[in-house]
Structure formats: C-alpha cells, structure tokens
Amino acid sequence: MLFHVQAAESYVHSSFQDQKNSFNKTPREVFTEEHKDLVKEGEKWMKGTASSCTLVAALIITVVFAAAFTLPGGINNDSIPNFLHEIPFIVFAISDELALFSSTASMLTFLRILTSSYSEDDFLESSPKKLMVGLMTLFFSIASMMFPFLVDIFISTYRPTIRFNRNQAIEDV
C-alpha cells in the first residue's frame, strides 16, 4: 500500500504534496482515504494466511515433539537408547530438533502477524518480511520433519537384520 503512495507521490511535484484541496486534505490523506478498503482486505488476507499457517506449524510441533520421545529402536535396561551411537539415530535426533525449532519459530512468527497492528505503512516492509520469515521457517520445518520419519523407516526396516553391539555388528538370521 505504501509503495502505491510513494509511486503516486513521485508523480506529484514536491511543492504540491503539502497543499490541501477544497476539502482541506493533502494528496496523501486523499489517497489513504480512497484506499482504506484495500488496507482492510490486506489485513484480512494476512490474518487468514497466518492463521492457516499457524495451524500447520502447530500440527508439525505436535508430531515432532511426540517423535522426540518415541525413540526408534527403543531403550535398553539402563534407559539408554539402543541406537545412541549409530549414525541414523544421530540424524534422527538432529533433524527432529531442527524441525521442532523451526516449526516453533514459524508459529511464533505467524502469531506475531496475527497480533500486529495493520497500519498502512506496515504493508510496505514489516508485514511482507514477517510473512516471508514465517513461510521460510515453515517450509524448513516441513523439510526437516521428513528426515526423522525416513530414518525411523530405515531403522525399522533394517533392524531385524542388524544387531547393534558396541563391540561388533553381527548379522542376524
């Protein structure tokens, strides 16, 4: 919205920008008044997008949080994960943490969008930047969420053929 104001102001000579019309309004005041519905529509769209993305981020948080406590391969008698020193388990843990962190950051960004004030000036820089940060972190959380599940499938598929022993790996029948 502010971009359009700046574009319109570039066509008006600087000496006329502060002059008032017969209704005692400057060109900027007229522009703002004429486009107030556009600001309301933009606010409605931003809130709708942010609330939808907040729901997606909350679902991802729920899934990756639960996955963090459901360790692939289970735990031994000493409450230590069976695959603690295996590369697939380390990939699982790191990618699950990244997914949890990025989805939480995404959700907080979208909540910030939902609770922010929507002034005309916000639509030039503030709101688009918040939306881009929220969408990028949401995309990253979706991408990083896939790795724990792929690793879990890998471990579950190959677990019957591999016995993990700290001294040696022995093939099972």
Side-chain angles (χ1 to χ4, degrees):
M1 179 69 184
L2 187 60
F3 173 74
H4 297 297
V5 171
Q6 291 174 341
E9 285 177 347
S10 69
Y11 289 108
V12 177
H13 193 270
S14 60
S15 64
F16 295 125
Q17 289 179 0
D18 295 327
Q19 290 186 356
K20 297 187 177 192
N21 64 8
S22 59
F23 298 106
N24 201 26
K25 294 182 181 179
T26 63
R28 176 158 183 131
E29 292 170 338
V30 172
F31 187 89
T32 300
E33 186 177 304
E34 291 294 321
H35 293 88
K36 64 183 174 186
D37 291 337
L38 188 60
V39 172
K40 288 180 185 177
E41 288 177 31
E43 178 182 355
K44 183 180 175 183
W45 180 82
M46 287 286 285
K47 285 187 175 184
T49 302
S51 62
S52 297
C53 291
T54 301
L55 177 65
V56 172
L59 290 171
I60 293 171
I61 289 169
T62 304
V63 170
V64 296
F65 185 78
F69 292 101
T70 310
L71 301 175
I75 57 174
N76 63 18
N77 294 336
D78 299 327
S79 299
I80 297 172
N82 289 327
F83 299 148
L84 181 63
H85 300 289
E86 300 299 322
I87 291 174
F89 182 81
I90 294 168
V91 170
F92 172 86
I94 291 172
S95 58
D96 194 66
E97 290 170 10
L98 287 173
L100 184 61
F101 174 76
S102 59
S103 59
T104 303
S106 176
M107 185 170 167
L108 291 174
T109 303
F110 288 120
L111 288 174
R112 187 173 169 209
I113 290 171
L114 287 170
T115 58
S116 66
S117 63
Y118 290 91
S119 68
E120 181 181 325
D121 296 339
D122 288 342
F123 285 99
L124 179 62
E125 283 189 33
S126 177
S127 294
K129 282 183 181 177
K130 289 177 194 174
L131 185 62
M132 289 305 297
V133 168
L135 289 173
M136 286 189 305
T137 54
L138 183 62
F139 176 76
F140 183 75
S141 70
I142 291 169
S144 59
M145 176 183 65
M146 297 306 294
F147 286 102
F149 297 106
L150 292 173
V151 169
D152 191 31
I153 290 169
F154 174 80
I155 289 173
S156 301
T157 303
Y158 293 104
R159 183 168 186 229
T161 60
I162 301 172
R163 180 185 305 160
F164 291 94
N165 187 336
R166 291 183 185 210
N167 299 328
Q168 62 184 3
I170 302 173
E171 294 287 326
D172 281 345
V173 176

